Amino acid sequence: MNTVVVGTQWGDEGKGKIIDSLAKKVDAVVRFQGGNNTGHTVIVNGEKFIFHLIPSGILYSEKKCIVGNGVVIDPGVLLKEIEELQERGVKLDNFYLSGNAHVIMPYHKKLEEIEEERRGKMRIGTTRKGVGPAYADKIARRGIRVSDLLKKEVLLNKLRMNLKFWKEFLNSEFSCEKIWKQYLDYGKRLRKYIIDTSLLIHKLIQEKKNILFEGAQGTLLDIDYGTYPYVTSSNSVAGGVCAGAGIGPTCIDKVIGVTKAYVTRVGEGPFPTEVRGEIENILRERGKEYGSTTHRSRRCGWFDGVILRYAARVNGLDELVLTKLDVLDSFERIKICVAYKYGKRIIRDFPFQSFMWEKVEPVYEEMEGWRKDTSSLRNFKDLPLRAREYLKKIEEIGGIPIRLLSIGPQRGELLSID
Ligand code: IMP
């Protein structure tokens, strides 16, 4: 069984915890896009782990953890993550890195900084990890791949070409020799993890192993389907798995969408259900809505059914996992966006024309809150009736069932729904 997990909003839906829970039942966890712009949080016995590059399945020593070719790698960050995990007693014997993944170079971070400054008010609000420029070099066919770090001459030639290409933007702080030596050293230290991950995944599929493909960011941050240009630079929808991990679409058995009981967004860009003031503060404080990578405070808003319907369509979602329901426990009334209004028109499908995103107004249905603590529940049947009605509404809007409910940050705080 090969399952894909994706975010249905603008990221930060709580995928890390869900993947950690689903990882229990699989043989391998694979990342297929993004870089260290993401941060998946897992809390085990009160101990907090934040994963930026390594699939969160690494906490189970027997699972294979694979970083596919579609991911961009900052080798310094990856090595630091490896060392920190090792210091905490986590074994990395089952960690594999694609030789075809592209590498984030020091100048990518600088180029991103320049680009964001240049945009001024139109800035994207990126994580400034160099992810976008690394993907840009990949698409422009001058990128440096992980396997290049193992070949002295190849690396030197590519590095020279790139520094020459970007010369007018970069000052002398980027010494070719220095970067070359540092990245050769990274290559040496990463060598034992580098393989053809597509082949490994293929073999696992042939052996009928269970594989979980771990999406980063979310549908509305996808380079093609998101709120372009306020998006990340990779395909974070389920389709990204095929190119980013090297498998065919016929190999995917199930697609799970993780959706938060309300919506957040980090960085700039349209956000139709965004709220300000008291509700914003409650959502942010109760939901601890601060970036796990950049520590920026996240913008908050009510649940948006239009984007859920969109995510269900473009990802081919089979089922949903609803997270952070407990954050809504104290509300007397809860709003849920069922459509958008554009002028006099009511729109049910997410508009493809970007000029509409800033102008649409959410059409809300209001529901009564349940005003009971759900975080201490251990059984779905004990969920207050009004909370169940909220779930039912979400299922109705998305046209897909919710199979799992997350009611707290700890590993066990999940209710399955049969
Ligand atoms: P980049 O991925 O660093 O290029 O940033 C592009 C946009 O995606 C910005 O709005 C970021 O805040 C957002 N973004 C990137 N990764 C994540 C994530 O893991 N969670 C939430 N937002 C993200």
Side-chain angles (χ1 to χ4, degrees):
M1 177 78 145
N2 300 316
T3 308
V4 181
V5 176
V6 290
T8 63
Q9 300 163 340
W10 280 278
D12 306 316
E13 298 92 350
K15 294 181 291 298
K17 183 189 151 182
I18 303 308
I19 286 153
D20 173 65
S21 155
L22 296 172
K24 256 189 300 197
K25 299 178 204 140
V26 303
D27 303 292
V29 185
V30 181
R31 267 200 69 180
F32 56 93
Q33 47 75 228
N36 58 309
N37 47 354
T38 193
H40 284 175
T41 308
V42 182
I43 302 177
V44 186
N45 301 329
E47 208 183 333
K48 190 168 174 177
F49 293 86
I50 301 179
F51 298 94
H52 296 292
L53 275 166
I54 298 181
S56 35
I58 201 76
L59 295 178
Y60 302 95
S61 59
E62 74 285 12
K63 319 274 179 203
K64 291 200 176 350
C65 280
I66 303 167
V67 172
N69 57 278
V71 178
V72 284
I73 306 294
D74 185 327
V77 172
L78 176 59
L79 282 160
K80 193 160 169 265
E81 200 162 304
I82 289 173
E83 279 157 19
E84 278 174 11
L85 283 169
Q86 281 169 335
E87 276 166 25
R88 293 168 81 173
V90 177
K91 290 219 166 61
L92 281 111
D93 304 344
N94 283 322
F95 174 63
Y96 304 92
L97 171 63
S98 169
N100 284 351
H102 278 249
V103 180
I104 299 178
M105 305 301 289
Y107 48 83
H108 287 140
K109 283 173 247 180
K110 181 74 187 176
L111 290 170
E112 185 164 14
E113 213 179 290
I114 297 168
E115 170 80 3
E116 282 284 81
E117 296 311 322
R118 192 186 61 83
R119 282 174 179 267
K121 277 193 187 148
M122 302 284 283
R123 72 182 183 282
I124 310 293
T126 71
T127 59
R128 302 212 177 192
K129 304 290 179 191
V131 169
Y135 275 120
D137 273 355
K138 169 180 171 173
I139 301 303
R141 294 165 294 190
R142 59 176 165 259
I144 293 175
R145 287 174 153 187
V146 164
S147 57
D148 296 331
L149 305 184
L150 307 178
K151 297 265 180 253
K152 276 188 182 178
E153 289 308 313
V154 174
L155 180 62
L156 186 60
N157 288 337
K158 286 198 173 185
L159 196 51
R160 274 193 188 131
M161 179 183 81
N162 276 281
L163 285 173
K164 199 167 156 199
F165 186 86
W166 291 117
K167 202 166 97 195
E168 64 177 295
F169 297 98
L170 304 172
N171 52 34
S172 51
E173 75 190 89
F174 294 98
S175 140
C176 183
E177 169 108 10
K178 216 168 131 193
I179 300 175
W180 182 53
K181 285 194 174 142
Q182 187 183 25
Y183 276 64
L184 279 177
D185 176 60
Y186 287 153
K188 246 189 235 161
R189 289 156 65 197
L190 288 172
R191 181 185 285 272
K192 60 173 175 279
Y193 304 112
I194 302 171
I195 60 156
D196 178 350
T197 50
S198 163
L199 188 60
L200 171 64
I201 296 167
H202 177 70
K203 284 182 181 155
L204 292 172
I205 292 173
Q206 283 191 319
E207 289 164 19
K208 303 255 179 284
K209 299 284 191 205
N210 295 314
I211 309 177
L212 189 64
F213 294 92
E214 165 179 349
Q217 288 89 40
T219 304
L220 276 297
L221 285 174
D222 181 279
I223 184 81
D224 286 290
Y225 298 98
T227 43
Y228 191 90
Y230 300 98
V231 292
T232 193
S233 302
S234 62
N235 281 117
S236 47
V237 293
V241 168
C242 297
I247 63 161
T250 47
C251 298
I252 298 171
D253 301 299
K254 194 200 260 186
V255 183
I256 299 176
V258 182
T259 197
K260 193 149 61 177
Y262 51 96
V263 184
T264 60
R265 163 159 217 175
V266 208
E268 310 305 317
F271 182 178
T273 62
E274 183 169 20
V275 288
R276 297 254 184 241
E278 199 192 333
I279 291 166
E280 173 194 12
N281 293 338
I282 298 173
L283 290 173
R284 184 174 303 123
E285 292 317 310
R286 279 213 62 158
K288 300 197 173 54
E289 296 296 353
Y290 297 92
S292 48
T293 299
T294 56
H295 310 291
R296 288 179 290 177
S297 52
R298 296 176 183 148
R299 297 155 65 193
C300 299
W302 294 115
F303 190 86
D304 186 336
V306 180
I307 67 169
L308 174 65
R309 228 179 268 129
Y310 179 63
R313 171 163 64 90
V314 298
N315 292 293
L317 297 183
D318 292 303
E319 52 189 64
L320 284 177
V321 176
L322 187 74
T323 60
K324 293 190 146 183
L325 183 74
D326 56 302
V327 173
L328 302 181
D329 282 353
S330 66
F331 285 105
E332 248 169 70
R333 298 193 70 73
I334 297 172
K335 287 188 184 178
I336 183 162
C337 166
V338 293
Y340 295 154
K341 201 167 169 208
Y342 180 71
K344 286 188 180 146
R345 265 168 63 201
I346 298 292
I347 301 171
R348 282 173 48 82
D349 291 313
F350 191 71
F352 72 94
Q353 301 99 319
S354 56
F355 67 87
M356 287 171 72
W357 299 331
E358 295 284 5
K359 296 197 179 132
V360 292
E361 276 174 40
V363 177
Y364 286 118
E365 277 185 19
E366 265 193 51
M367 304 181 74
E368 258 185 73
W370 43 94
R371 309 206 68 199
K372 282 195 186 116
D373 171 37
T374 58
S375 64
S376 54
L377 297 182
R378 290 297 163 260
N379 259 311
F380 179 70
K381 65 174 175 35
D382 300 326
L383 195 71
L385 188 67
R386 287 193 181 125
R388 282 176 196 229
E389 283 167 0
Y390 187 65
L391 265 59
K392 222 165 142 195
K393 188 84 215 167
I394 292 174
E395 287 182 324
E396 226 175 81
I397 294 171
I400 25 173
I402 300 173
R403 291 272 186 244
L404 198 63
L405 185 62
S406 170
I407 34 101
Q410 298 284 340
R411 205 178 220 179
E413 290 170 334
L414 285 167
L415 305 177
S416 43
I417 309 167
D418 301 317

